Amino acid sequence: MGKDNRAAILALLQQFTAETERYVDVVSAKDALHRTDLHALGILVGAARSGTTVTPGRLREELNLSSPATTALIDRLTTAGHVTRARSDIDRRQVHLEMTEKAQAAGSRLFAPLAQHISAALDQFSDDELALLSTMLERITAATITAKNDAGRLPGPAPGATLGP
C-alpha cells in the first residue's frame, strides 16, 4: 500500500473521530449530559457487555479524572437517575457503580440513530470485507492504545517552559 493510501486512511480516521465527537456534542446537549457523563456511561455499557464491574477508582482511571471530579461525576449521574451505587458483596468497602434502566434507555435513544446509520453503511460490504475491516480496526485501536501509553511515559515540559515563540 502506498503512502498516499495510508495518508488518506489516516485522514479518514481523523475525520471519523471528529465527526463522532461532534455527534456526541449534539446528542449530549439534547439530554443535558456532560461529555464526561456520556463517556462514563459508555464505560459502564462496556463493562456490562464484558461482565465486569465498575468502581469509582476504575472510572477515575479510565476517564483520567481527579478523585473530587470523579465524585462530582458520580453524584451527577446518581442525581439524574443514570447510576446507582452498590456495596460489593465480597468487600463492603468497595462500591460498584451500576447503570440504571433510565440510562440504558437514554443511551439507546441517543446512540441508536448513529448505530443505524453506521449499520446501513456496513451493509454495503461483503462478509470478507467486514472481516478485514474488523481486523484493521482492532489493530488500529491497539496501536492507538500503545501510542497513548507511550505518550504517558514521555516527560512533561521543563519547569518554566512556554509553548510557541
Side-chain angles (χ1 to χ4, degrees):
M1 176 184 260
K3 286 186 179 184
D4 289 343
N5 288 337
R6 288 173 183 258
I9 289 171
L10 288 172
L12 287 168
L13 286 169
Q14 182 180 24
Q15 182 181 1
F16 172 74
T17 301
E19 292 303 328
T20 302
E21 293 295 321
R22 289 182 188 113
Y23 181 86
V24 169
D25 286 341
V26 169
V27 298
S28 65
K30 287 183 181 227
D31 256 30
L33 289 167
H34 296 265
R35 170 178 288 279
T36 307
D37 298 359
L38 284 176
H39 287 300
L41 292 174
I43 290 166
L44 288 162
V45 167
R49 194 178 303 128
S50 67
T52 59
T53 58
V54 177
T55 63
R58 177 176 170 191
L59 201 58
R60 179 182 53 76
E61 288 174 18
E62 290 203 31
L63 294 173
N64 196 29
L65 297 174
S66 67
S67 290
T70 303
T71 299
L73 166 66
I74 294 168
D75 288 346
R76 268 195 322 271
L77 291 173
T78 302
T79 300
H82 293 303
V83 170
T84 59
R85 295 175 171 111
R87 293 275 174 199
S88 168
D89 292 334
I90 298 167
D91 181 351
R92 300 291 298 154
R93 296 170 295 175
Q94 192 175 60
V95 173
H96 292 177
L97 303 173
E98 297 171 2
M99 194 167 56
T100 65
E101 288 182 20
K102 179 181 178 182
Q104 291 170 349
S108 292
R109 186 180 67 256
L110 296 174
F111 290 99
L114 177 62
Q116 289 168 352
H117 285 281
I118 290 175
S119 183
L122 293 175
D123 286 344
Q124 300 172 35
F125 295 93
S126 70
D127 287 344
D128 287 344
E129 290 171 321
L130 290 173
L132 177 61
L133 180 59
S134 179
T135 299
M136 184 187 85
L137 289 172
E138 287 172 1
R139 290 180 185 175
I140 287 171
T141 301
T144 302
I145 291 168
T146 300
K148 175 196 69 174
N149 293 339
D150 289 350
R153 290 190 286 271
L154 294 174
T162 59
L163 296 176

